[in-house]
Amino acid sequence: KFEIFNLDMKTGDTLKIKGKISEDADGFSINLGCKSSDLALHFNPRFNESVIVCNSRCSNAWQAEHRDDHLCFSKGSTVKITIEMLADKFQVKLPEGHEVELPNRHCYDKISYMSVKGGFRVTSFKL
């Protein structure tokens, strides 16, 4: 698990995360928000379902899932994921140029918390 509690991400910022997906990964998640119980973006590729699930979490309660069946990741590969924070949504740019969007449901203009969990080892990240 990789966690940052003092990330200073604001509207208009772009976060680039590079890492390696483990050979035995069922999936992984990248989470952005104020704390683990309040997430503006939960980005969760799931290999066992061949889907990318995006969601947000408010006071520990999950909101409606957004599912995208364009899973362009493979186990054991090195990937770069770019997340852009806009006023009304998050844009996640994936390998092969595919994009996934999730509305900024909490209307956050600042993100301080980030975590990466599951079968993904962060090798670099840049805000």
Side-chain angles (χ1 to χ4, degrees):
K1 186 165 144 179
F2 178 84
E3 268 184 315
I4 295 174
F5 295 94
N6 60 349
L7 187 73
D8 188 20
M9 187 174 186
K10 296 181 279 306
T11 305
D13 285 351
T14 300
L15 178 68
K16 292 180 179 163
I17 302 172
K18 273 188 194 161
K20 186 166 170 49
I21 300 169
S22 66
E23 296 284 353
D24 59 350
D26 288 330
F28 63 91
S29 66
I30 298 172
N31 302 293
L32 296 172
C34 291
K35 52 185 182 268
S36 60
S37 58
D38 288 290
L39 300 175
L41 174 68
H42 169 72
F43 175 79
N44 177 212
R46 298 177 184 171
F47 294 110
N48 54 349
E49 295 177 53
S50 294
V51 70
I52 296 173
V53 175
C54 291
N55 207 341
S56 49
R57 193 175 188 181
C58 186
S59 303
N60 261 333
W62 288 105
Q63 316 291 290
E65 281 187 352
H66 167 81
R67 296 171 81 89
D68 188 307
D69 57 11
H70 188 95
L71 188 67
C72 53
F73 299 106
S74 57
K75 297 180 183 190
S77 65
T78 300
V79 292
K80 183 172 105 181
I81 299 165
T82 304
I83 302 170
E84 191 176 359
M85 182 179 175
L86 303 169
D88 60 338
K89 66 185 173 186
F90 290 90
Q91 259 184 330
V92 185
K93 293 181 177 67
L94 307 175
E96 302 169 15
H98 187 70
E99 286 187 11
V100 178
E101 291 184 355
L102 184 75
N104 184 353
R105 295 171 175 161
H106 298 312
C107 300
Y108 285 149
D109 54 9
K110 197 173 162 216
I111 299 277
S112 56
Y113 175 79
M114 174 178 126
S115 72
V116 180
K117 298 177 178 175
F120 186 90
R121 189 170 52 82
V122 177
T123 52
S124 74
F125 80 99
K126 181 182 172 188
L127 182 61

